[in-house]
Every structure is written in structure tokens, then in C-alpha cells.
């Protein structure tokens, strides 16, 4: 009986020590954060850049219909996919590199028109997109701004 009590006390003491170390940890403190400071700073910077951009920036996780009025320009973010479903639009570039028409495998440059129902991919977030010349509907997946 004495051995049983000593063993039982040993098990209880072990359980108390384990529970104390689990509940005694200061989770969420500066020494044990729930998320890293750099992660939070990065997210704050992303939100601030969206607020300060001046345009209406959106991100579509799946293909989302987007209406763009005549004279407006839809600018895609890096990796954004756009399909012109209705209307007319011409390519807008900030440099000499183009927009990929994945349907034909061609590169579109300033002066080219977007073809209906072709998948266009914006390779970089540097001002590439489409200026609408006839009220248009796009299917967009990714980030975009209408200016």
C-alpha cells in the first residue's frame, strides 16, 4: 500500500509540474508572440499602400465579372488574369514589355486590341492593362485597379 501511495504521489506531482509549465507559459507576450512583428508590420504596410493608392483597388480570388466604363482603364496587378467578355479595349503599357495573350501565345503591345474571350495575363504590377473604348465587361482573377 505504501508503494502505491508513493507511486500515486509521484504521478500527481508530475501532472502538476506539466500543467504548471503549460499554463505558466506567457503566450502572446513579447517573448512568446502569437504572430511575428514583421508579419504584422507587413500586413499594415499592405493596407496602407491600398489606402494611399488613390484608385479603387480590388482583388478577385476567382474569376469575377467587372464592368468598366468607356474612357476608364483597368490596370492589373502581378499575375492577374483578365478575359474581355464584352465591349472593346486597347492595351495600355507603361514600358516596352507587353501583356500575354495566353489563348494565342502572343504578346500584346500598345496599339493592340484585346480579343473577346481570350485569357490575358499581366506579368508585373507596373501599370499594364486595358483602356476601354466601348463599355466593357471583364472576368478578372487577381488584383486590379480601375482608373
Amino acid at each position: 500500500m505504501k508503494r502505491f501511495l508513493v507511486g500515486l504521489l509521484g504521478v500527481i506531482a508530475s501532472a502538476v509540474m506539466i500543467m504548471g509549465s503549460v499554463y505558466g507559459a506567457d503566450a502572446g507576450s513579447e517573448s512568446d508572440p502569437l504572430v511575428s512583428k514583421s508579419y504584422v508590420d507587413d500586413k499594415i504596410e499592405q493596407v496602407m499602400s491600398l489606402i494611399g493608392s488613390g484608385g479603387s483597388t480590388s482583388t478577385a480570388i476567382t474569376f469575377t465579372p467587372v464592368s468598366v466604363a468607356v474612357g476608364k482603364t483597368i490596370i492589373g496587378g502581378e499575375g492577374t488574369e483578365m478575359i474581355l467578355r464584352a465591349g472593346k479595349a486597347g492595351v495600355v503599357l507603361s514600358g516596352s514589355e507587353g501583356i500575354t495573350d495566353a489563348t494565342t501565345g502572343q504578346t500584346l503591345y500598345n496599339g493592340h486590341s484585346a480579343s473577346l474571350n481570350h485569357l490575358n495575363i499581366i506579368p508585373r504590377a507596373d501599370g499594364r492593362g486595358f483602356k476601354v473604348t466601348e463599355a466593357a465587361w471583364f472576368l478578372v482573377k487577381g488584383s486590379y485597379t480601375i482608373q
Side-chain angles (χ1 to χ4, degrees):
M1 181 72 171
K2 188 174 181 180
R3 281 187 177 191
F4 175 74
L5 286 176
V6 171
L8 183 61
L9 285 175
V11 169
I12 291 172
S14 298
V16 168
M17 288 178 20
I18 290 171
M19 297 300 281
S21 67
V22 169
Y23 288 108
D26 198 14
S29 69
E30 188 175 325
S31 62
D32 184 21
L34 298 174
V35 295
S36 69
K37 182 180 180 315
S38 61
Y39 175 82
V40 173
D41 289 345
D42 183 50
K43 292 302 176 189
I44 290 171
E45 185 177 317
Q46 288 175 6
V47 169
M48 293 307 286
S49 70
L50 290 175
I51 292 170
S53 67
S56 59
T57 302
S58 299
T59 300
I61 298 171
T62 60
F63 279 106
T64 302
V66 177
S67 176
V68 183
V70 174
K72 296 287 187 176
T73 302
I74 184 167
I75 304 294
E78 185 171 327
T80 297
E81 300 171 57
M82 295 184 189
I83 301 171
L84 178 62
R85 293 287 292 145
K88 293 183 180 176
V91 174
V92 174
L93 303 174
S94 58
S96 61
E97 296 180 19
I99 295 173
T100 302
D101 180 337
T103 305
T104 62
Q106 295 179 330
T107 301
L108 304 176
Y109 298 100
N110 279 325
H112 284 117
S113 294
S115 298
L116 289 175
N117 301 313
H118 283 218
L119 175 63
N120 300 288
I121 302 172
I122 310 297
R124 288 194 202 106
D126 59 359
R128 302 176 205 203
F130 298 96
K131 183 168 181 82
V132 174
T133 56
E134 181 182 298
W137 279 94
F138 288 86
L139 286 177
V140 180
K141 182 172 21 169
S143 61
Y144 64 94
T145 303
I146 298 175
Q147 300 175 340

